[in-house]
DNA sequence: AAGGAGATCAACCGCCGTATT
DNA sequence: AAATACGGCGGTTGATCTCCT
């Protein structure tokens, strides 16, 4: 038998919008007892809700460390960049946006950013320019079009790179699993540098352990109250925004700015204003656009993700995309 | 002012991976 | 080893709000 149910499915459980009274009850209970078992929480808190509903209400709305309201331009940039790298992995993206929930980010993507990309003629799923010749339809003429084509080209690179990365993840996972089965896991210090013999492998100990079946809680680690993650978030935030401010992260920042600037014709006054401010940054010269910087910034972001969170199964530290790219995609990386 | 269309977002649903028995 | 519960994720829905005609 499996483990015993902590509460049975009960008829007459309330659904739909939460009332202030229910919020109060949930808050009061969690404040006093914390949330151990969500399944049993509703009964203990005096709520006629299922545990899942309570958990959702807490994580998406009642948690004290949630920031609500409009997304900043920095946040938008981060979402776009991370979506290009990670796809619809909202929880992973959310770890890079302190105080934002995955649900909120997902909603914002679906209602704002996705449409903006589509309007530019970029497929929001693949981040590739659409083949139907729709590109630039919403972006207007002149400089905007140039910026958009640049963005589209980079998005295309990104999509290729990401798909190669996912393939590599799968391959590394298989390799690591086989190795883990073949031999007992070495101590961390050794394992971290034990060298996986595949020339393409950059798997870290944490992943070796992970693939070997070591206990981990992907999502728990992400959201965590567990503090290495939180400190990472701070560090990442500082690195990301700080570096962007100093220009060393400007390529990826600019990449997102291009997307945002392309939306100027989308009649959002915020972006129109932004466009003027940033026009110097963009330089308007296709040839001078820094490919290497762009890729480095993506790599930085990936590496940050890798070292911070077990959410992603990707390699620990990537110093060069060619390290694990299949030949075809490596050619793209080799361009710089 | 009224009605319709589109946008927004909280909440639900179903699935999956992991933990537990 | 198998069965089952649990927590979490991403996709989707539907109620409400806002804008336009």
């Amino acid at each position: 038998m499996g483990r015993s149910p902590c509460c049975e499915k009960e008829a007459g459980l309330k659904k739909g919008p939460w009332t202030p009274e229910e919020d109060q009850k949930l808050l009061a209970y969690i404040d006093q007892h914390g949330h151990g078992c969500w399944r049993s929480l509703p009964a203990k808190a005096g709520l006629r809700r299922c545990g899942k509903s309570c958990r959702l209400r807490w994580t998406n709305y009642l948690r004290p460390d949630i920031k609500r309201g409009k997304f900043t331009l920095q946040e938008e940039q981060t979402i776009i960049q991370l979506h290009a790298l990670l796809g619809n992995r909202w929880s992973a993206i959310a770890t890079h946006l302190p105080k934002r929930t995955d649900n909120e980010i997902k909603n914002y993507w679906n209602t704002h950013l996705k449409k903006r990309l589509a309007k530019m003629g970029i497929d929001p799923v693949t981040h590739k320019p659409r083949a139907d010749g729709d590109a630039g339809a919403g972006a207007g003429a002149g400089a905007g079009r140039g910026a958009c084509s640049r963005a589209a080209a980079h998005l295309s690179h990104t999509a290729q790179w990401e798909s190669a990365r996912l393939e590599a993840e799968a391959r590394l996972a298989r390799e690591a699993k086989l190795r883990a089965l073949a031999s007992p896991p070495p101590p961390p210090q050794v394992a971290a540098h034990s060298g996986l013999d595949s020339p393409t492998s950059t798997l870290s100990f944490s992943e070796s352990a992970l693939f070997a079946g070591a206990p981990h809680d992907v999502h728990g680690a992400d959201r965590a109250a567990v503090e290495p993650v939180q400190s990472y978030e701070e560090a990442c935030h500082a690195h990301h925004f700080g570096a962007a401010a100093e220009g060393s992260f400007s390529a990826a920042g600019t990449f997102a700015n291009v997307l945002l600037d392309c939306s100027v014709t989308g009649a959002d006054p915020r972006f129109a204003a932004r466009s003027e401010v940033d026009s110097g940054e963009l330089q308007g010269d296709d040839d001078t656009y820094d490919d290497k910087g762009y890729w480095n910034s993506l790599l930085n972001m990936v590496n940050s993700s890798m070292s911070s969170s077990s959410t992603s199964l990707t390699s620990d530290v990537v110093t060069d995309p060619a390290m694990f790219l299949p030949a075809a995609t490596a050619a793209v990386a080799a361009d710089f």
Side-chain angles (χ1 to χ4, degrees):
Chain A
M1 277 294 284
R3 66 192 221 179
S4 57
C6 67
C7 69
E8 60 271 23
K9 291 221 188 304
E10 199 182 321
L13 286 180
K14 187 165 183 278
K15 285 165 77 173
W18 281 64
T19 64
E21 290 75 27
E22 287 176 314
D23 282 346
Q24 205 50 52
K25 280 183 182 175
L26 183 57
L27 272 172
Y29 181 86
I30 292 177
D31 190 42
Q32 231 182 342
H33 306 96
H35 54 81
C37 174
W38 286 111
R39 192 86 187 274
S40 60
L41 186 149
K44 292 177 186 169
L47 290 161
R48 294 186 59 78
R49 294 268 182 179
C50 73
K52 209 169 179 175
S53 179
C54 293
R55 181 174 56 80
L56 220 57
R57 183 64 179 171
W58 170 254
T59 55
N60 287 337
Y61 200 85
L62 296 176
R63 245 171 39 190
D65 58 334
I66 285 179
K67 172 180 165 189
R68 308 196 70 78
K70 280 202 162 186
F71 279 71
T72 65
L73 281 166
Q74 291 283 19
E75 287 173 321
E76 290 182 351
Q77 288 175 15
T78 305
I79 293 169
I80 293 168
Q81 290 162 359
L82 288 170
H83 189 271
L85 286 167
L86 302 170
N88 293 359
R89 288 152 76 176
W90 306 116
S91 62
I93 292 172
T95 63
H96 292 270
L97 291 159
K99 304 186 177 184
R100 296 289 190 182
T101 68
D102 49 4
N103 202 38
E104 200 178 6
I105 293 169
K106 178 173 61 182
N107 280 334
Y108 193 71
W109 172 265
N110 286 328
T111 57
H112 293 91
L113 301 178
K114 194 167 144 186
K115 287 175 187 169
R116 202 176 294 160
L117 287 179
K119 207 169 184 179
M120 290 163 50
I122 294 170
D123 186 335
V125 178
T126 63
H127 286 251
K128 287 181 178 176
R130 277 203 298 264
D132 57 11
D134 198 22
R145 189 174 294 162
C148 288
S149 63
R150 253 193 336 260
H154 285 304
L155 283 169
S156 174
H157 283 193
T158 305
Q160 287 177 24
W161 193 63
E162 172 64 4
S163 99
R165 188 176 67 74
L166 290 171
E167 282 178 31
E169 282 179 9
R171 192 177 66 246
L172 291 171
R174 281 196 303 273
E175 290 175 6
K177 212 163 196 173
L178 287 173
R179 275 193 204 88
L181 289 172
S183 60
Q189 295 85 346
V190 178
H193 300 96
S194 60
L196 295 153
D197 45 18
S198 163
T200 60
S201 176
T202 55
L203 203 67
S204 69
F205 165 72
S206 62
E207 285 167 303
S208 299
L210 186 152
F211 292 131
H216 67 289
D217 176 359
V218 169
H219 307 311
D222 278 355
R223 315 196 143 256
V226 189
E227 284 347 81
V229 172
Q230 199 165 29
S231 62
Y232 160 72
E233 281 182 357
E234 287 163 13
C236 178
H237 194 256
H239 162 76
H240 185 161
F241 295 160
E246 291 165 18
S248 59
F249 201 73
S250 63
T254 302
F255 154 73
N257 287 344
V258 168
L259 296 178
L260 295 170
D261 287 340
C262 284
S263 72
V264 166
T265 53
D268 188 333
R270 284 183 303 156
F271 302 125
R274 170 86 178 170
S275 171
E276 285 168 24
V277 171
D278 285 343
S279 57
E281 202 179 318
L282 287 170
Q283 301 296 324
D285 183 349
D286 293 8
D287 297 334
T288 60
Y289 193 71
D290 187 357
D291 252 353
K292 186 167 184 173
Y294 169 74
W295 278 105
N296 283 340
S297 66
L298 288 180
L299 292 173
N300 284 342
M301 183 168 284
V302 172
N303 288 339
S304 299
S305 307
M306 297 322 120
S307 56
S308 72
S309 157
S310 56
T311 296
S312 172
L313 299 176
T314 352
S315 317
D316 191 13
V317 175
V318 182
T319 54
D320 181 350
M323 282 168 68
F324 62 83
L325 291 179
T329 321
V332 175
D335 286 346
F336 57 90

